[in-house]
C-alpha cells in the first residue's frame, strides 16, 4: 500500500499566539478547520496545522514572515478545485477567498482589471460584462474557481483556442515571498529574486530546446518565457504563472480582458467515437471558432439535444449579430465531416448543452455501471494534429492494464481530461496506478506532448517530469525554486522535489470494512464510506450564482462558509471516518455543527455532478450521533409531527385559539425548540380524510356531470381508480389542497380512493435522523398500503413524494414492497399527463411566480408541471433555489437568519417583482408558509388554481360546495 504520513503533532510553540497578535484576519487551528482543508479535488490528502484568512496583503506578509521564523510550511488556497493536489498542505493554509476577493479596478479603455487572488472568475466576468468584455480563460469550475488559483495552475478552459491560457492574459503581479518580502512582476521587465537572470543566461541551450511546442504545455516552470528572444522581452509574469504556489503568494494581479462576442451560436457535431472527433478537431481551427470541445457518450446522463453519435464536438462561434454567429456555426457543420450536427442559437438551449460538458468533471467519476473513477492521469496535452492517434494508443494502454476511462476535454488544443477506474484502496491497485502513470507518461512524450495540459503537475505528475524534460532541465526547475524560496516553505512536495505520485492518497485512511448504517446506499454498493467518497471536490456546491433552477447549496449561499457547503460536509464526514483529525466518530460535534445548517433540500442529489445526497448522510449521522442520548427538543416535537398533529386534530379550534395568545405561543415555542420569530401554523378544523369520508353525494354528482361536459364534447373517461395520498401537511394543515386535487382528478375522469388510515411516509423522522422510528412507520405504511400493479399513488406534497420515491426504498431495501410503492408515486401533473392525456385543463392565461419545491427539483423533476402550466396558459418561470423553511429546519431555534437569507436570495425577490394579477404558485407547504410569514403573500398549490377555475366554469357555481366545502379556519399561520 502507498505510504501514509500521519498528521503533524501541532503548531510550534508560540506560533499561534504570534500569528494572532500580528495579523487581523482570523486563524483557526481546530479540528473542523483542518478537516475542511485536507483535500482539494484530487486523489491526495495532507493534513494542515491550521487555516488563516488574511484580510489584506499586510496580513499575508506578516504571516509569511512568521512562518519562516517558525519553519511552518504554507499553501495558498482559493476555491480548492485543483485536481493534482496543489491546494493541500501540511502547514498553514491561507484561505484567500474570505477577504481578498475584490475587483479593485476595471479599465474598459485599456481592457484590464486589477483583482485580488480570491476573486471568483464569474464575479470578474460579471463586472466586465457591462462593458462588452470578459476574461478569456474559463475552466468548467468558473462559478467557484479563483483568479489566484487560475494563475497558480495556469488554467485554460474551453475558450483557449480563441483567447489562450491564464498566462496569456496576465500583465502584472504583486507577490509576497516566504519570509514576507514583497515583489512586483511586470511583462517586459526583468523581475524576481536575484540570480534568476544569471541562471537563465548560463543555460540558454537547454531552455531553448527542451520545451515542446504546443498550445497547452503547462508542465514544469515556464523558464523559456525568460529567454532574451521571447516576444516582448523576458516575461517574468508568464514564467510565474503555473508555479502552483511554490514560489510566492499572489496578493494582486493585473489581467487582460477581451471583447466578448455580441452573439454566440453552438454547433454540436456527432462522431462515431472520440478518436474520430479528435481527428476532426484540428481541421476546424482555421474557421476561427471560440471553442472546440470534445466528449464521449459515456459521460452523458441525458442525451437530450445532442445529435446522433457516440462522441461530440462542441464548437462555439461568435458574431456581431445572431445571424452572423449562426452562419458561422453552419459553416462549421458543413466542414466538420460529422455523422450528424445541429446548431443551437437559443441561449437556454446552449446553457443546457454546455452544462453537459461542464459537468463531465463530476460525471466522469462514475463509470456507466456506477463504479468509481478517479483523476490521476487527468489532463495531458499533445499537438492537436496528434490527438486522434494518441487517443487510440491511450485506449489500447487502458485495455492492456484492464482499466476504463472516458476521455473529454479541449480537443482543439489537444488537451484531454479522463477519469480512470483505478483501484486506489488496495496495494495491488495502487501499484497498477503507478505502472499505468509511468507508461502513459512515456506515451504522451512519444506523441510530443505535455504531462499537464491545464491543471498543473502537482503531486499527480511532477514525479514524472524527468521523462518529459530530462534531468538537466528538471534540475534547473529545482534551482529556480530555490532562488525564490530557499527555505522550501511554500507548498513543499509540489512541482519541485515532489512527493511520489502514490503517496498521501486520500483513500488510505478510510475504514477497510463496511460501516454499519441504516440507509441502503444502493448506488455505492451499500457502503457508507463509498457514499462519502463520492464527493471528489469539484465544488459546484460553492457557487453563488442565482440563475437557473439549481438548488444546491442553499446554506453555503447564505453563509459563504466551506463548512456549510456540500463538499465541506463531505470532507468532515471523510475525516470522521478516517479518525485522525476528527477522533470521536459519530459523536463528533464538528460534524454535527456543520450538518446543523444543512436544510436537507436534496439539491445536491441532482445538482452535484456526482450525486452526493447530503440529506441522507445527515439523517444517517444524526441517527448515530443521538443513539442512546437525549435529542434536541425539535426532534421530539417537529420530528414526530404526524403523531402530534393526529392527536391535536380533534382539538383544533381551542388549540388555534391558544396559539393566538402571544404569551402562550411564546411558551409553547420555547418548550418545542421553535424559533421565537416563527408563527405557529393554524390547524385545520376538518382534516382532508374526514372531509373525504363525509363528502356529500351532490359533490360527487357534480364532478361526474363536469366530466360529461368535457370542452371538446368527448365522452367521459373510464373512471380509473387512483389513491390520493394523505400526507401530514395536506391532512392536518392544508386540506384545501387535497379537496382541490379530488376535484381535479374527478374532472379528469378518475375515481379517487380514500387512503388507508394511519399511513405516513416518515419524512420528519428521516429529516431528524430517527431512522429506527422512520423504518417502523414505513413498514406499517407498507402493511396498510398496496397500490397494486399499475395503480398510481398521487402525492401532493413534494417532500413526502420524494421521501416515498427515495428514502423509503433506501431505508427498506430488504422489502420489495418499498420499491413497488416508490415506483407508483406520481405528482398530480405527472398523473394527469400519464393517465389522463386526453383531458383538457382549463385555460387561465395569466403570469405565474413562486417556487419549484427543492425536493421536486431534486427527485421528481418538474417537466410535467411545466407542460401542464403551458397548456393552461400560465406563463413565466418559477424560481429555483430553496425557500429556506425546508420542513422543520426553518422552524428550529437558531436557524431563523439562514432561513430568511435563503428566501431572500431568489423566492422573495421573484414574488415581490411579480405584476398585479400574477398567480403565486408553491406546491410545498413549507414554501407557502415561508411566503406567508415573510412576505405576507398567499401562494397556492397548482391543484387549487385548477380547481378554482373548474368551479368557476361549472353551472351554478357558488351554489354548492367546491374545493373549500366544509368549515375550515384555513391554513394560514397566526400573525
Amino acid at each position: 500500500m502507498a505510504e501514509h504520513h500521519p498528521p503533524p503533532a501541532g503548531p510550534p510553540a508560540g506560533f499561534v499566539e504570534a500569528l494572532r497578535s500580528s495579523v487581523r484576519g482570523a486563524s483557526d487551528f481546530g479540528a473542523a478547520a483542518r478537516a475542511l482543508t485536507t483535500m482539494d479535488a484530487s486523489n491526495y490528502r495532507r493534513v494542515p496545522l491550521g487555516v488563516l484568512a488574511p484580510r489584506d496583503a499586510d496580513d499575508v506578509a506578516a504571516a509569511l514572515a512568521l512562518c519562516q521564523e517558525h519553519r511552518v510550511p504554507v499553501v495558498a488556497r482559493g476555491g480548492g478545485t485543483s485536481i493534482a493536489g496543489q491546494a493541500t498542505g501540511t502547514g498553514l493554509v491561507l484561505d484567500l477567498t474570505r477577504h481578498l476577493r475584490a475587483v479593485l479596478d476595471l479599465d474598459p479603455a485599456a481592457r484590464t482589471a486589477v483583482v485580488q487572488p480570491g476573486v471568483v472568475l464569474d464575479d470578474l466576468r460579471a463586472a466586465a460584462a457591462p462593458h462588452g468584455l470578459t476574461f478569456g480563460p474559463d475552466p468548467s469550475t468558473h462559478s467557484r474557481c479563483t483568479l489566484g488559483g487560475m494563475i497558480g495552475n495556469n488554467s485554460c478552459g474551453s475558450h483557449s483556442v480563441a483567447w489562450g491560457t491564464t498566462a496569456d492574459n496576465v500583465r502584472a503581479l504583486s507577490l509576497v515571498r516566504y519570509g514576507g518580502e514583497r515583489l512586483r512582476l511586470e511583462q517586459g521587465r526583468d523581475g524576481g529574486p536575484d540570480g534568476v537572470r544569471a541562471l537563465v543566461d548560463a543555460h540558454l541551450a537547454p531552455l531553448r530546446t527542451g520545451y515542446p511546442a504546443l498550445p497547452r504545455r503547462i508542465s514544469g516552470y515556464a523558464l523559456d518565457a525568460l529567454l532574451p528572444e521571447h516576444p516582448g522581452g523576458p516575461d517574468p509574469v508568464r514564467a510565474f504563472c503555473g508555479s502552483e504556489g511554490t514560489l510566492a503568494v499572489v496578493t494582486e494581479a493585473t489581467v487582460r480582458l477581451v471583447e466578448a462576442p455580441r452573439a454566440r451560436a453552438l454547433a454540436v457535431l456527432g462522431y462515431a467515437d472520440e478518436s474520430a472527433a479528435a481527428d476532426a478537431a484540428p481541421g476546424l481551427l482555421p474557421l476561427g471558432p471560440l471553442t472546440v470541445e470534445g466528449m464521449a457518450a459515456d459521460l452523458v446522463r441525458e442525451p437530450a439535444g445532442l445529435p446522433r453519435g457516440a462522441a461530440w464536438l462542441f464548437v462555439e462561434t461568435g458574431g456581431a449579430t445572431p445571424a452572423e454567429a449562426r452562419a458561422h456555426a453552419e459553416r462549421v457543420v458543413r466542414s466538420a465531416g460529422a455523422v450528424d450536427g445541429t446548431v443551437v442559437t437559443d441561449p437556454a438551449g446552449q446553457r443546457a448543452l454546455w452544462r453537459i460538458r461542464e459537468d463531465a468533471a463530476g460525471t466522469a467519476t462514475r463509470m456507466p455501471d456506477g463504479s468509481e473513477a478517479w483523476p490521476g492521469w487527468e489532463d495531458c496535452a499533445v499537438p492537436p494534429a496528434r490527438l486522434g492517434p494518441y487517443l487510440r494508443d491511450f485506449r489500447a494502454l487502458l485495455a492492456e492494464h484492464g482499466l476504463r476511462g472516458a476521455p473529454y476535454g479541449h480537443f482543439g488544443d489537444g488537451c484531454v481530461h479522463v477519469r480512470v477506474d483505478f483501484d486506489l484502496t488496495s496495494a495491488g491497485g495502487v501499484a497498477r496506478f503507478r505502472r499505468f502513470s509511468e507508461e502513459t507518461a512515456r506515451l504522451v512524450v512519444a506523441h510530443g506532448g505535455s504531462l499537464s495540459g491545464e491543471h498543473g503537475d502537482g503531486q499527480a505528475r511532477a514525479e514524472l517530469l524527468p521523462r518529459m524534460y530530462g534531468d538537466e532541465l528538471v534540475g534547473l526547475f529545482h534551482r529556480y525554486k530555490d532562488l525564490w524560496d530557499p527555505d522550501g516553505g511554500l507548498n513543499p512536495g509540489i512541482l519541485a522535489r515532489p512527493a511520489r505520485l502514490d503517496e498521501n492518497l486520500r483513500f488510505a485512511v478510510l475504514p477497510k470494512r463496511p460501516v454499519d448504517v441504516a440507509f441502503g446506499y444502493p448506488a455505492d454498493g451499500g457502503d457508507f464510506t463509498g457514499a462519502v467518497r463520492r464527493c471528489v471536490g469539484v465544488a459546484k456546491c460553492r457557487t453563488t450564482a442565482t440563475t437557473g433552477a439549481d438548488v444546491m447549496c442553499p446554506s453555503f449561499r447564505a453563509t459563504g462558509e466551506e463548512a456549510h457547503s456540500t463538499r465541506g460536509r463531505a470532507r468532515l464526514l471523510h475525516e470522521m471516518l478516517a479518525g485522525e483529525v476528527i477522533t470521536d466518530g459519530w459523536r463528533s460535534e464538528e460534524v454535527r455543527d456543520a450538518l446543523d445548517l444543512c436544510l436537507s433540500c436534496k439539491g445536491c442529489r441532482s445538482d452535484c455532478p456526482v450525486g452526493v445526497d447530503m440529506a441522507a448522510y445527515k439523517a444517517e449521522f444524526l441517527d448515530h450521533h443521538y443513539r442512546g442520548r437525549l435529542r434536541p427538543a425539535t426532534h421530539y416535537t417537529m420530528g414526530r409531527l404526524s403523531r402530534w398533529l393526529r392527536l391535536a386534530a380533534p382539538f383544533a379550534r381551542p388549540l388555534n385559539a391558544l396559539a393566538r395568545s402571544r404569551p402562550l405561543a411564546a411558551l409553547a415555542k420555547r418548550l418545542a425548540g421553535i424559533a421565537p420569530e416563527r408563527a405557529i401554523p393554524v390547524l385545520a378544523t376538518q382534516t382532508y380524510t374526514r372531509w373525504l369520508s363525509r363528502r356529500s353525494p351532490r359533490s360527487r354528482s357534480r364532478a361526474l356531470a363536469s366530466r360529461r361536459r368535457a370542452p371538446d364534447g368527448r365522452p367521459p373517461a373510464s373512471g380509473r381508480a387512483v389513491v390520493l395520498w394523505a400526507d401530514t401537511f395536506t391532512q392536518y394543515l392544508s386540506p384545501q389542497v387535497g379537496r382541490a386535487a379530488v376535484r381535479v382528478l374527478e374532472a379528469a375522469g378518475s375515481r379517487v380512493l380514500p387512503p388507508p388510515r394511519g399511513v405516513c411516509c416518515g419524512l420528519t423522522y428521516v429529516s431528524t435522523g430517527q431512522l429506527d422510528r422512520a423504518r417502523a412507520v414505513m413498514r406499517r405504511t407498507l402493511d396498510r398500503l398496496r397500490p397494486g400493479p399499475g395503480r398510481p399513488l398521487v402525492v401532493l406534497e413534494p417532500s413526502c413524494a420524494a421521501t416515498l420515491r427515495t428514502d423509503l426504498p433506501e431505508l427498506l431495501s430488504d422489502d420489495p414492497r418499498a420499491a413497488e410503492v416508490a415506483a407508483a408515486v406520481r405528482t398530480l401533473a405527472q398523473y394527469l399527463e400519464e393517465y389522463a392525456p386526453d383531458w383538457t385543463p382549463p385555460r387561465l392565461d395569466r403570469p405565474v411566480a413562486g417556487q419549484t419545491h427543492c425536493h421536486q427539483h431534486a427527485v421528481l423533476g418538474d417537466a410535467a408541471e411545466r407542460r401542464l402550466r403551458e397548456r393552461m396558459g400560465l406563463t413565466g418561470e418559477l424560481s429555483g433555489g430553496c425557500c429556506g423553511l425546508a420542513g422543520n429546519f426553518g422552524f428550529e431555534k437558531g436557524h431563523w437568519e439562514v432561513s430568511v437569507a435563503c428566501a431572500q436570495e431568489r423566492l422573495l425577490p421573484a414574488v415581490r417583482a411579480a405584476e398585479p394579477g400574477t398567480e403565486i404558485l408553491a406546491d410545498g407547504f413549507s414554501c407557502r408558509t415561508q411566503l406567508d410569514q415573510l412576505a405576507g403573500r398567499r401562494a397556492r398549490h397548482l391543484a387549487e388554481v385548477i380547481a378554482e377555475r373548474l368551479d368557476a366554469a361549472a353551472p351554478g357555481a357558488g351554489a354548492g360546495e367546491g374545493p373549500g366545502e366544509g368549515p375550515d379556519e384555513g391554513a394560514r399561520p397566526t400573525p
Side-chain angles (χ1 to χ4, degrees):
M1 193 68 182
E3 183 177 350
H4 167 62
H5 302 289
F15 174 70
V16 174
E17 295 77 9
L19 183 70
R20 289 175 174 166
S21 65
S22 301
V23 303
R24 296 188 301 123
S27 59
D28 192 339
F29 292 82
R34 298 169 67 213
L36 288 167
T37 49
T38 57
M39 292 174 280
D40 49 18
S42 71
N43 296 328
Y44 300 100
R45 170 184 178 270
R46 295 190 291 175
V47 179
L49 290 173
V51 181
L52 169 69
R55 286 192 170 273
D56 51 28
D58 290 342
D59 268 6
V60 174
L64 290 178
L66 282 170
C67 286
Q68 183 191 49
E69 178 183 342
H70 291 271
R71 303 181 65 82
V72 172
V74 173
V75 56
R77 185 177 172 104
T81 56
S82 296
I83 55 177
Q86 305 97 317
T88 67
T90 57
L92 182 68
V93 173
L94 299 183
D95 178 2
L96 301 174
T97 65
R98 185 78 58 85
H99 303 298
L100 294 171
R101 52 182 307 148
V103 178
L104 300 173
D105 182 61
L106 197 149
D107 186 339
R111 293 186 178 177
T112 60
V114 181
V115 300
Q116 292 180 312
V119 170
V120 172
L121 172 57
D122 271 1
D123 292 342
L124 171 60
R125 298 203 300 180
H131 307 286
L133 302 173
T134 190
F135 186 70
D138 60 338
S140 60
T141 54
H142 53 81
S143 62
R144 59 267 192 201
C145 70
T146 64
L147 268 292
M150 293 178 68
I151 292 167
N153 294 345
N154 195 7
S155 300
C156 308
S158 60
H159 288 83
S160 60
V161 294
W163 297 317
T165 71
T166 296
D168 297 315
N169 292 276
V170 180
R171 296 289 176 259
L173 294 168
S174 294
L175 309 169
V176 180
R177 295 174 64 190
Y178 192 65
E181 179 190 356
R182 304 188 196 213
L183 288 176
R184 175 80 174 171
L185 300 183
E186 296 183 14
Q187 282 187 326
R189 298 183 182 180
D190 272 330
D194 293 338
V196 170
R197 181 76 264 152
L199 178 69
V200 171
D201 290 343
H203 298 87
L204 294 175
L207 293 178
R208 284 169 173 158
T209 61
Y211 287 90
L214 68 161
R216 286 295 195 93
R217 188 258 299 159
I218 306 298
S219 284
Y221 293 115
L223 295 182
D224 57 331
L226 300 175
L227 288 168
E229 66 268 23
H230 188 274
D235 189 348
V237 173
R238 177 177 285 275
F240 184 90
C241 290
S243 56
E244 305 184 26
T246 62
L247 304 182
V249 176
V250 176
T251 57
E252 191 176 291
T254 302
V255 299
R256 175 179 78 115
L257 303 175
V258 297
E259 184 176 358
R262 294 184 180 181
R264 302 185 193 219
L266 181 63
V268 185
L269 312 168
Y271 295 89
D273 56 39
E274 79 270 0
S275 293
D279 289 336
L284 302 178
L285 298 178
L287 299 175
L290 298 175
T291 70
V292 183
E293 298 289 290
M295 67 185 302
D298 305 20
L299 301 173
V300 180
R301 290 175 174 172
E302 297 291 338
L306 291 172
R308 291 179 298 111
W312 296 273
L313 291 180
F314 292 66
V315 184
E316 187 179 73
T317 59
T321 65
E324 184 179 324
R326 182 181 184 90
H328 193 174
E330 289 171 345
R331 286 197 299 274
V332 169
V333 173
R334 290 193 298 269
S335 305
V339 173
D340 193 10
T342 186
V343 172
V344 181
T345 56
D346 169 51
Q350 292 183 54
R351 284 194 300 271
L353 288 167
W354 273 123
R355 176 171 178 169
I356 294 174
R357 164 59 188 89
E358 291 177 352
D359 280 355
T363 55
T365 64
R366 294 280 158 165
M367 294 285 107
D369 63 2
S371 58
E372 296 170 308
W374 303 103
W377 202 262
E378 174 63 27
D379 56 357
C380 69
V382 298
R386 298 292 308 162
L387 183 58
Y390 166 75
L391 286 176
R392 294 182 183 91
D393 290 345
F394 178 74
R395 283 286 191 185
L397 191 60
L398 282 172
E400 182 181 330
H401 285 267
L403 297 169
R404 295 174 298 163
Y408 67 100
H410 315 291
F411 282 19
D413 272 340
C415 181
V416 176
H417 300 306
V418 64
R419 303 284 170 108
V420 180
D421 64 337
F422 299 118
D423 168 18
L424 298 177
T425 62
S426 70
V430 172
R432 181 165 58 167
F433 164 63
R434 166 171 282 281
R435 290 194 303 272
F436 177 81
S437 299
E438 292 171 342
E439 292 182 26
T440 311
R442 295 191 194 98
L443 179 63
V444 170
V445 172
H447 282 274
S450 172
L451 305 187
S452 173
E454 180 161 18
H455 295 296
D457 302 302
Q459 189 177 338
R461 288 173 293 277
E463 180 191 356
L464 302 173
L465 285 176
R467 299 177 186 272
M468 175 180 171
Y469 287 119
D471 292 337
E472 181 182 10
L473 201 50
V474 170
L476 293 180
F477 293 167
H478 298 166
R479 293 173 62 183
Y480 183 64
K481 157 77 170 173
D482 292 343
L483 290 171
W484 277 91
D485 179 22
D487 297 298
L490 290 175
N491 225 359
I494 298 298
L495 199 54
R497 301 182 185 89
R500 297 193 308 273
L501 61 86
D502 51 2
E503 286 184 276
N504 303 318
L505 292 172
R506 65 187 180 103
F507 317 94
V509 296
L510 291 174
K512 303 302 183 289
R513 295 180 179 178
V515 178
D516 183 27
V517 287
F519 278 92
Y521 304 103
D524 299 288
D527 181 13
F528 180 70
T529 301
V532 171
R533 206 165 56 217
R534 179 176 284 269
C535 176
V536 294
V538 295
K540 191 177 178 184
C541 49
R542 282 179 55 93
T543 181
T544 56
T546 57
T547 58
D550 283 5
V551 172
M552 181 181 72
C553 176
S555 51
F556 176 79
R557 293 171 185 266
T559 67
E561 299 285 345
E562 174 78 10
H564 301 302
S565 69
T566 305
R567 181 181 72 174
R569 294 174 179 126
R571 292 293 178 257
L572 288 165
L573 287 168
H574 186 286
E575 294 303 326
M576 179 195 81
L577 293 171
E580 289 187 343
V581 181
I582 294 175
T583 57
D584 46 357
W586 295 108
R587 299 297 197 203
S588 168
E589 294 184 3
E590 295 88 356
V591 178
R592 181 202 63 196
D593 291 347
L595 288 169
D596 181 58
L597 291 188
C598 172
L599 288 85
S600 297
C601 67
K602 287 190 177 287
C604 47
R605 187 177 176 114
S606 61
D607 297 345
C608 171
V610 295
V612 167
D613 187 352
M614 191 53 63
Y617 304 175
K618 176 182 179 179
E620 188 77 67
F621 175 82
L622 292 176
D623 183 59
H624 286 78
H625 185 77
Y626 288 110
R627 191 167 291 176
R629 305 167 77 190
L630 189 66
R631 287 173 169 267
T634 53
H635 289 202
Y636 300 106
T637 54
M638 287 178 285
R640 303 177 184 182
L641 186 66
S642 59
R643 178 183 180 186
W644 296 122
L645 289 179
R646 184 173 67 254
L647 294 173
F651 312 101
R653 290 186 187 278
L655 288 173
N656 288 337
L658 291 174
R660 286 194 286 268
S661 166
R662 291 184 184 276
L664 290 176
L667 176 62
K669 286 186 281 188
R670 185 162 63 251
L671 293 175
I674 296 174
E677 299 88 348
R678 285 289 173 193
I680 299 175
V682 174
L683 296 172
T685 55
Q686 184 184 47
T687 66
Y688 159 69
T689 52
R690 188 173 181 82
W691 166 83
L692 192 63
S693 66
R694 294 186 170 190
R695 192 172 178 227
S696 69
R698 183 172 58 169
S699 297
R700 288 190 287 271
S701 297
R702 190 179 65 184
L704 291 172
S706 68
R707 219 165 56 226
R708 286 192 292 269
R709 292 188 298 272
D712 56 5
R714 288 193 299 269
S718 60
R720 172 185 289 276
V722 57
V723 176
L724 183 61
W725 179 262
D727 64 82
T728 296
F729 306 98
T730 300
Q731 172 80 320
Y732 301 108
L733 297 171
S734 55
Q736 72 278 5
V737 174
R739 297 195 294 262
V742 171
R743 176 77 172 96
V744 174
L745 289 168
E746 290 182 342
S750 295
R751 180 166 51 91
V752 178
L753 300 177
R757 294 177 60 86
V759 296
C760 176
C761 68
L763 166 66
T764 57
Y765 294 103
V766 173
S767 64
T768 53
Q770 302 178 74
L771 299 185
D772 287 343
R773 285 180 174 268
R775 285 187 289 197
V777 167
M778 290 173 172
R779 287 198 191 279
R780 184 185 67 204
T781 294
L782 293 179
D783 290 340
R784 299 180 180 184
L785 175 73
R786 291 299 295 268
R791 178 174 291 173
L793 178 65
V794 175
V795 185
L796 300 173
E797 175 60 42
S799 56
C800 296
T803 301
L804 292 169
R805 182 72 66 83
T806 60
D807 296 325
L808 172 66
E810 291 173 16
L811 279 171
L812 298 183
S813 56
D814 59 337
D815 192 329
R817 299 176 300 170
E820 179 184 323
V821 169
V825 169
R826 299 291 188 277
T827 68
L828 178 63
Q830 288 170 346
Y831 172 83
L832 292 173
E833 184 172 89
E834 187 174 347
Y835 294 96
D838 295 331
W839 179 65
T840 302
R843 294 283 302 185
L844 279 84
D845 295 313
R846 68 182 74 149
V848 297
Q851 183 150 46
T852 298
H853 194 286
C854 50
H855 286 183
Q856 173 113 32
H857 166 82
V859 175
L860 309 162
D862 67 339
E865 280 72 16
R866 288 173 178 271
R867 288 189 287 267
L868 178 57
R869 294 199 302 268
E870 183 178 354
R871 294 175 67 196
M872 296 169 62
L874 294 173
T875 59
E877 291 291 325
L878 302 186
S879 71
C882 179
C883 74
L885 195 61
N888 55 288
F889 176 87
F891 273 95
E892 291 180 351
K893 185 178 180 180
H895 293 169
W896 169 258
E897 290 81 5
V898 170
S899 177
V900 173
C902 291
Q904 292 283 14
E905 187 195 25
R906 280 191 270 186
L907 175 59
L908 295 184
V911 170
R912 288 166 180 158
E915 298 177 356
T918 297
E919 185 67 53
I920 307 300
L921 291 177
D923 282 0
F925 176 78
S926 293
C927 306
R928 296 194 297 273
T929 302
Q930 187 79 313
L931 278 170
D932 186 88
Q933 295 196 358
L934 298 186
R937 298 292 297 272
R938 180 172 182 252
R940 297 195 291 175
H941 194 288
L942 184 59
E944 296 179 86
V945 178
I946 302 172
E948 179 184 66
R949 181 60 181 151
L950 289 172
D951 284 339
E961 296 173 340
E965 61 186 297
D968 191 0
E969 293 187 34
R972 293 173 63 87
T974 57

